[in-house]
């Protein structure tokens, strides 16, 4: 059970986030309904996850397969799970077996795509993915280099069990959010170029606690918030 104080804190966070989403969307001439909040629950308890679901958050994102499986096992009840972390190929089978693992945000290589395709086919399902792009060209981050996206999509047309829903990026931590803005603009531009080539990429998953307002101004359709919603992680 959560204490009254814990609930109050999360509730205040949730309503502040809603206000910020509306404000950022309006300042960019967008409709706030286009922006989906994905609550990133790594390091957070199931009680907290259930509380944010009561508040109205649907999508819950985890970044480690083991932690996701542990939570799923304790609560088989239907949660709209997303996977957002770096995915090792030997863990794909666990996600493919989870009927309610609805979106993988972090497809970052052709080899991983082949594995997801194989496991999805085995489980007779389609798996939805976002393609992770390393827009900042940060050596410590996973993802496709921007120039590799179109060649990848051309090869990926053979994958019948994969559904490419859009692009995702994880930007470095900058002291100045205007640097993050440049990266978000690059992701939005890249989507435009993919669409010109006939690849529909409706979703842009970008923006976390430090920079989600800027990400919304630049076109994010999914923002991934951990600490901003739940408070600090409890590892
Ligand atoms: C942890 C994590 C987040 C959320 O980070 P916060 O800064 O706590 O909002 C978002 N995306 C990914 C991929 C993460 O691993």
């Amino acid at each position: 059970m959560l204490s009254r104080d814990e609930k109050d804190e999360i509730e205040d966070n949730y309503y502040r986030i809603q206000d910020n989403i509306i404000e950022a969307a309006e300042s960019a001439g967008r409709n706030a309904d286009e922006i989906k909040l994905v609550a990133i629950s790594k390091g957070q308890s199931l009680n907290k996850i259930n509380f944010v679901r009561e508040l109205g958050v649907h999508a819950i994102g985890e970044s480690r397969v083991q932690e996701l499986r542990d939570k799923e096992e304790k609560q088989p009840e239907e949660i709209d799970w997303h996977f957002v972390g770096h995915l090792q190929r030997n863990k794909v089978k666990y996600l493919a077996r989870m009927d309610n693992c609805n979106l993988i945000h972090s497809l970052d290589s052709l080899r991983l795509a082949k594995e997801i395709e194989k496991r999805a086919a085995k489980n007779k399902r389609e798996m939805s993915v976002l393609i992770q792009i390393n827009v900042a060209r940060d050596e410590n981050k996973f993802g496709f280099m921007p120039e590799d996206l179109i060649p990848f999509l051309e090869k990926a047309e053979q994958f019948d069990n994969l559904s490419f829903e859009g692009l995702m990026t994880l930007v470095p931590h900058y002291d100045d959010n205007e640097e993050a803005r440049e990266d978000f603009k690059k992701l939005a531009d890249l989507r435009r170029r993919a669409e010109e080539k006939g690849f529909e990429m409706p979703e842009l998953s970008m923006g976390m606690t430090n920079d989600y307002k800027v990400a919304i101004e630049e076109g994010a359709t999914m923002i991934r918030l951990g600490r901003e919603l739940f408070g600090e992680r409890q590892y």
Side-chain angles (χ1 to χ4, degrees):
M1 281 292 288
L2 298 181
S3 67
R4 190 63 252 170
D5 281 352
E6 287 173 312
K7 286 187 176 175
D8 284 348
E9 187 196 337
I10 293 175
E11 198 165 340
D12 288 350
N13 292 343
Y14 177 75
Y15 289 110
R16 185 184 64 251
I17 291 166
Q18 294 302 323
D19 287 345
N20 287 336
I21 291 174
I22 291 168
E23 198 181 334
E26 277 177 359
S27 80
R30 301 183 59 201
N31 184 340
D33 296 344
E34 296 166 18
I35 297 133
K36 181 168 188 172
L37 169 58
V38 183
I40 306 299
S41 57
K42 61 180 181 223
Q44 308 291 353
S45 66
L46 267 175
N47 283 333
K48 286 192 176 176
I49 293 174
N50 284 323
F51 186 63
V52 302
R53 292 172 70 224
E54 278 171 35
L55 289 174
V57 179
H58 295 290
I60 307 290
E62 284 284 342
S63 60
R64 293 177 193 167
V65 173
Q66 192 56 49
E67 187 171 347
L68 173 55
R69 291 179 72 203
D70 290 344
K71 286 174 176 165
E72 159 77 4
E73 196 169 295
K74 288 198 191 94
Q75 184 175 327
E77 179 193 329
E78 191 85 348
I79 291 183
D80 177 15
W81 291 111
H82 290 199
F83 188 80
V84 302
H86 174 59
L87 180 55
Q88 290 166 308
R89 280 176 297 142
N90 62 355
K91 305 270 173 72
V92 171
K93 55 181 178 285
Y94 302 115
L95 300 188
R97 280 180 209 147
M98 275 178 62
D99 293 337
N100 53 341
C101 180
N102 292 324
L103 186 63
I104 295 172
H105 289 233
S106 43
L107 174 68
D108 58 12
S109 71
L110 178 61
R111 289 167 80 200
L112 179 61
K114 286 181 178 160
E115 180 66 17
I116 299 175
E117 165 70 15
K118 180 175 123 192
R119 297 290 171 181
K122 212 169 189 169
N123 287 276
K124 299 192 173 53
R125 65 178 292 195
E126 185 171 84
M127 291 186 82
S128 296
V129 298
L130 305 180
I131 302 167
Q132 183 171 352
I133 308 290
N134 188 355
V135 275
R137 315 186 81 84
D138 179 343
E139 283 176 19
N140 300 313
K141 290 216 156 43
F142 293 100
F144 288 88
M145 287 299 166
E147 62 276 17
D148 295 334
L149 174 66
I150 306 281
F152 167 73
L153 285 170
E154 285 165 352
K155 280 195 205 106
E157 282 181 306
Q158 55 178 306
F159 297 147
D160 295 330
N161 297 70
L162 272 187
S163 171
F164 298 99
E165 308 286 340
L167 305 179
M168 176 273 213
T169 197
L170 198 62
V171 305
H173 178 79
Y174 297 116
D175 292 326
D176 179 0
N177 270 341
E178 291 309 306
E179 289 188 68
R181 185 186 303 279
E182 288 311 305
D183 287 345
F184 296 145
K185 274 194 201 312
K186 284 182 192 159
L187 195 71
D189 263 358
L190 190 59
R191 174 182 54 185
R192 216 162 294 132
R193 276 186 275 149
E195 294 197 328
E196 279 166 13
K197 297 267 183 194
F199 299 106
E200 289 297 316
M201 292 280 135
E203 304 292 349
L204 283 182
S205 169
M206 59 186 196
M208 311 183 0
T209 291
N210 292 325
D211 48 30
Y212 66 99
K213 288 175 256 180
V214 178
I216 292 169
E217 288 165 8
E218 298 306 329
T221 63
M222 292 185 178
I223 53 174
R224 308 182 309 268
L225 299 184
R227 294 163 300 147
E228 176 80 344
L229 178 60
F230 291 107
E232 289 305 317
R233 292 184 258 278
Q234 307 144 333
Y235 276 121

